[in-house]
Amino acid sequence: MNDDITGGEEAEQGPPPFILYQQGDDLTTAQRSLAIWVHNLLLPVYAGEESSRAPWCPRWWEHPDAMAHLYGLWMAWQEMTSAKAGMNGPAMWHRDFLGPAMTFLRDPSGPFSGCKPGNHRPKHPPRVDVYDG
């Protein structure tokens, strides 16, 4: 498998900790590897065109929920397209992982809802009162 598309050899070394738990150099490495996969495989093959009904943010990595979904999708890609996955692995990845993740990401009210083609708009989390239970 080509490292330019997979984003590295992480699948052969065992799964890394989920991206939301990583910090420092580990986080930078994970983000770089994910970006390689997103930019070289996911977007050219599966993204389709941007529209108000299927938004995409050019700065997707600045949306933590999108980053988490994409990292999970990439981890599943590595597992489901490895030799250990068997011949049905890729079909299962398309059915069980790609569709739900892209539906969430490209939903008009999803993580990129405020972003327009070529324009990122940061989101602010909802206000939360302090739990004093």
Side-chain angles (χ1 to χ4, degrees), residues 21-31:
Y21 301 133
Q22 297 184 25
Q23 300 175 7
D25 289 342
D26 290 339
L27 177 58
T28 300
T29 300
Q31 289 171 324

Side-chain angles (χ1 to χ4, degrees), residues 7-76:
E9 298 178 9
E10 289 82 358
E12 295 176 17
Q13 299 171 358
F18 192 61
I19 198 163
L20 297 178
Y21 301 133
Q22 297 184 25
Q23 300 175 7
D25 289 342
D26 290 339
L27 177 58
T28 300
T29 300
Q31 289 171 324
R32 187 174 297 121
S33 296
L34 176 60
I36 290 168
W37 181 79
V38 168
H39 290 222
N40 292 329
L41 187 126
L42 183 69
L43 293 178
V45 176
Y46 297 107
E49 290 192 35
E50 254 183 291
S51 71
S52 60
R53 296 188 58 165
W56 184 264
C57 181
R59 301 186 66 80
W60 56 266
W61 57 89
E62 292 186 15
H63 296 270
D65 50 349
M67 176 76 78
H69 271 79
L70 288 166
Y71 196 77
L73 188 61
W74 177 55
M75 291 176 76

